[in-house]
């Protein structure tokens, strides 16, 4: 399947390019950092699949779809889940929320192949992908108008603030992003992180000391709540 990537974030484009290279049945024809430049290209070329960001300045992915004459299959890639219903109403194959793991990307590609050509969708990836993947040690989070790459090893702890979280890092800074704490807990629980309070997830490797109801990370004392205490102590073998 001939595909293009349309996304205003260079790091997001780079990640998708890497994913596409791993899939034998995909051929990356072009990439665009804005939807306006992609309109004429899509209308003049035979493209099977578009990986399309929604939230882009001046001309959104939704505007783009409503403008083009030819309608390839579309997989939305976005940092926001708010547009999911609208995306599916426009006939999108799938809706991927950043940061996108490879297995989720591949599931969308298989779905697109089944729609485009069911007989050809039996073996969507090359033999080289049959070997285990390298464990991903980073994630992308949306901060203001960009997707920021965050290495797991650089994260000290995460503090939940209603709809937002603050991610504190080893450079004594924090990143504020719109994501749920439970979503981060699911993502990070197997990466050396532990939820110790309804408002806190910590990176165990950065714990300096543990008191009865608190942990010390950097110069911050973080409370351990009773509801998370047993699971945390089991995880660190205390």
């Amino acid at each position: 399947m001939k595909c293009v990537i349309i996304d205003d974030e260079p790091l997001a484009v780079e990640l998708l390019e890497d994913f596409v290279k791993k899939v034998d049945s995909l051929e990356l024809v072009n990439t665009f950092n804005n939807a306006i430049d992609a309109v004429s290209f899509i209308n003049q070329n035979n493209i099977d699949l578009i990986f399309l960001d929604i939230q882009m300045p001046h001309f959104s992915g939704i505007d783009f779809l409503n403008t083009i004459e030819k309608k390839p299959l579309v997989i939305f890639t976005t940092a926001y889940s708010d547009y999911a219903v609208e995306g599916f109403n426009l006939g999108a194959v799938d809706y991927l929320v950043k940061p996108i793991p490879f297995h989720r990307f591949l599931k969308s590609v298989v779905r697109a192949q089944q729609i485009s050509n069911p007989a050809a969708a039996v073996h969507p990836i090359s033999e080289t992908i049959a070997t285990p993947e390298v464990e991903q040690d980073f994630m992308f989070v949306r901060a203001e108008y960009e997707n920021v790459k965050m290495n797991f090893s650089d994260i000290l702890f995460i503090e939940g603030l209603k709809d937002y979280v603050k991610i504190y890092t080893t450079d004594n800074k924090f990143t504020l992003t719109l994501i749920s704490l439970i979503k981060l807990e699911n993502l990070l629980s197997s990466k050396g992180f532990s939820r110790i309070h309804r408002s806190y997830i910590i990176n165990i490797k950065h714990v300096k000391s543990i008191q009865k109801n608190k942990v010390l990370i950097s110069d911050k004392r973080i409370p351990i709540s009773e509801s998370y205490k047993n699971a945390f102590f089991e995880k660190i073998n205390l």
Side-chain angles (χ1 to χ4, degrees):
M1 299 180 72
K2 293 184 177 181
C3 64
V4 300
I5 298 167
I6 306 173
D7 199 306
D8 63 320
E9 300 295 341
L11 288 175
V13 172
E14 184 180 333
L15 180 68
L16 287 171
E17 284 181 324
D18 182 59
F19 283 177
V20 169
K21 288 176 184 177
K22 293 181 178 181
V23 182
D24 259 0
S25 55
L26 293 180
E27 177 189 349
L28 183 60
V29 178
N30 211 337
T31 65
F32 299 90
N33 60 17
N34 68 82
I36 296 174
D37 291 343
V39 171
S40 61
F41 182 87
I42 298 297
N43 285 333
Q44 294 171 17
N45 292 272
N46 292 321
I47 301 300
D48 302 305
L49 178 63
I50 304 174
F51 296 98
L52 179 63
D53 189 15
I54 291 182
Q55 193 74 5
M56 291 182 285
H58 310 303
F59 198 65
S60 72
I62 302 295
D63 295 331
F64 169 81
L65 273 187
N66 289 327
T67 301
I68 58 175
E69 299 167 4
K70 297 182 178 180
K71 304 288 185 184
L73 296 176
V74 172
I75 295 174
F76 281 122
T77 60
T78 180
Y80 301 97
S81 59
D82 305 1
Y83 300 95
V85 173
E86 187 174 3
F88 284 119
N89 286 341
L90 288 169
V93 172
D94 207 347
Y95 190 100
L96 303 179
V97 179
K98 301 172 184 176
I100 303 167
F102 178 70
H103 70 86
R104 187 66 182 83
F105 169 88
L106 186 58
K107 183 177 180 180
S108 294
V109 171
V110 170
R111 186 177 298 172
Q113 289 177 326
Q114 290 171 340
I115 294 171
S116 176
N117 188 355
V122 180
H123 301 293
I125 57 176
S126 66
E127 293 182 5
T128 58
I129 304 304
T131 57
E133 287 184 69
V134 176
E135 187 80 10
Q136 186 168 291
D137 59 358
F138 62 89
M139 64 179 178
F140 286 92
V141 298
R142 186 78 174 182
E144 295 184 350
Y145 298 104
E146 61 180 353
N147 291 303
V148 179
K149 182 180 181 181
M150 308 201 77
N151 295 316
F152 296 146
S153 60
D154 294 335
I155 299 173
L156 295 173
F157 62 92
I158 302 166
E159 180 182 9
L161 302 168
K162 201 174 180 181
D163 296 329
Y164 291 83
V165 299
K166 278 184 177 180
I167 302 175
Y168 293 83
T169 47
T170 52
D171 57 2
N172 295 317
K173 297 180 181 179
F174 69 82
T175 298
L176 184 67
T177 184
L178 178 62
I179 191 172
S180 69
L181 205 62
I182 191 167
K183 185 172 183 179
L184 284 175
E185 181 185 7
N186 292 335
L187 173 66
L188 297 173
S189 61
S190 63
K191 312 290 185 182
F193 289 76
S194 181
R195 182 116 179 232
I196 63 169
H197 189 275
R198 68 174 187 169
S199 299
Y200 289 98
I201 295 172
I202 65 167
N203 188 342
I204 295 172
K205 67 173 283 187
H206 289 298
V207 173
K208 291 182 178 180
S209 65
I210 302 172
Q211 297 176 346
K212 184 177 180 181
N213 294 310
K214 291 180 182 178
V215 300
L216 177 64
I217 296 179
S218 187
D219 59 351
K220 173 79 171 178
R221 295 191 183 276
I222 302 171
I224 306 171
S225 70
E226 287 297 324
S227 56
Y228 292 96
K229 186 176 181 179
N230 290 338
F232 171 57
F233 282 172
E234 285 180 13
K235 197 165 190 175
I236 59 174
N237 298 317
L238 277 184

